[in-house]
Amino acid sequence: MSKSCISSYTLPQLGEVLAGLGQPGFRAKQVYRWLHQKQATDFSAMTDQPKALLAVLEEHFYIAAPTVRRRQQSRDGTVKYLLELADGNCIEAVAMRYSYGNTLCVSTQVGCRMGCRFCASTQAGRVRDLEAGEIAAEVYTAQRDIGERISHIVLMGIGEPLDNFEQVLRFLTIISSPEGANVGMRNISLSTCGLVPMIDRLAQEKLQLTLSISLHAPNDVMRSSMMPVNDAYPVAQLIAACRRYQQATGRRI
């Protein structure tokens, strides 16, 4: 029997899971805090939970906790991680130190299918989407390593965030939760190569994050030569979607 990633549940979803196991309502908040505030990597660390419950959780779920396969640090304190996931696939994350706090660049997919000519991440294509808990675990792993809080997040690593829309949206809910890491939505930036329908879907959520567009060229001929996505959503359509996004959210791009 394959286990589910318990780190990928939002607080209401975790509440439903634990209610189904016959647990009282307050257990969900306790377990959620262990996962996303105290950032436990093992159920045995949840010392205020009944052993019988922990045994059931151990049997049916796992906590996302990637292994640092390689770590490189530059003179300015920037740290680049190669992280191995539970299934053996690898992703990258980069921690950057600034005067206003620490920023982590996170991956949202293993590989990418967008095919941008300048990007190494797309060479092998898309292997799979990351679950919300796996994306959050990138943040927690970096925090443990540098010993400091990650206060800002950019979704600009491996993968196209809007190509993994549902899990990315769930990650944003989890990482910004006051019961968890509590990273302010205005401290989060999401970069897209220009998936117009998904930009419109994101606009409907009216999140306070910063949307960034990976444009790279001022016209369709140049952009299509570098970014195949432009054949589906040319510059004029992309700019129109950006304007709709600004009108819907009041946020600049």
Side-chain angles (χ1 to χ4, degrees):
M1 181 184 68
S2 60
K3 295 183 179 182
S4 299
C5 179
I6 196 170
S7 318
S8 294
Y9 292 110
T10 63
L11 182 53
Q13 290 169 336
L14 184 59
E16 292 178 6
V17 168
L18 293 182
L21 296 175
Q23 296 297 314
F26 65 86
R27 289 279 180 231
K29 189 172 289 188
Q30 290 178 332
V31 173
Y32 192 85
R33 285 174 176 167
W34 274 109
L35 293 170
H36 301 291
Q37 201 172 79
K38 300 177 183 178
Q39 299 165 12
T41 59
D42 194 279
F43 290 111
S44 62
M46 302 180 183
T47 52
D48 60 353
Q49 300 303 298
K51 290 185 177 180
L53 171 60
L54 295 180
V56 172
L57 295 179
E58 184 74 47
E59 181 181 359
H60 295 282
F61 302 96
Y62 71 93
I63 300 172
T67 302
V68 178
R69 279 277 299 274
R70 187 163 66 241
R71 182 188 190 276
Q72 297 172 297
Q73 183 164 339
S74 68
R75 295 176 185 174
D76 67 359
T78 299
V79 184
K80 181 179 180 180
Y81 302 97
L82 179 68
L83 302 175
E84 183 176 343
L85 305 171
D87 63 0
N89 281 305
C90 291
I91 54 172
E92 291 183 344
V94 181
M96 298 160 282
R97 289 181 167 92
Y98 296 103
S99 58
Y100 53 77
N102 298 311
T103 295
L104 189 74
C105 177
V106 299
S107 295
T108 54
Q109 295 176 307
V110 179
C112 182
R113 60 179 173 179
M114 295 298 106
C116 298
R117 309 282 187 251
F118 49 80
C119 185
S121 302
T122 195
Q123 290 178 359
R126 173 187 162 277
V127 177
R128 71 170 177 87
D129 292 334
L130 293 185
E131 289 194 39
E134 292 177 308
I135 305 172
E138 296 177 57
V139 179
Y140 308 155
T141 301
Q143 284 191 153
R144 282 192 296 272
D145 179 69
I146 67 174
E148 299 173 19
R149 171 176 163 77
I150 299 294
S151 57
H152 294 67
I153 296 169
V154 290
L155 288 83
M156 297 182 184
I158 296 173
E160 161 57 53
L162 296 186
D163 191 39
N164 185 15
F165 189 86
E166 298 300 337
Q167 289 298 324
V168 165
L169 201 63
R170 191 185 292 191
F171 158 73
L172 293 171
T173 300
I174 289 171
I175 207 70
S176 62
S177 169
E179 301 296 336
N182 197 24
V183 177
M185 197 67 77
R186 290 194 175 215
N187 290 348
I188 300 175
S189 294
L190 183 153
S191 177
T192 177
C193 66
L195 300 181
V196 167
M198 308 315 292
I199 292 173
D200 286 330
R201 281 191 63 186
L202 185 64
Q204 294 172 12
E205 300 293 329
K206 292 184 170 55
L207 303 176
Q208 290 298 296
L209 55 73
T210 298
L211 178 65
S212 299
I213 305 296
S214 184
L215 197 59
H216 287 281
N219 59 56
D220 287 326
V221 173
M222 291 178 65
R223 194 166 193 265
S224 290
S225 71
M226 293 186 287
M227 305 177 72
V229 69
N230 196 73
D231 293 333
Y233 308 112
V235 172
Q237 289 187 29
L238 177 56
I239 297 303
C242 290
R243 291 195 174 112
R244 291 194 297 273
Y245 183 90
Q246 283 186 304
Q247 290 171 356
T249 65
R251 299 285 292 160
R252 68 181 181 87
I253 295 176

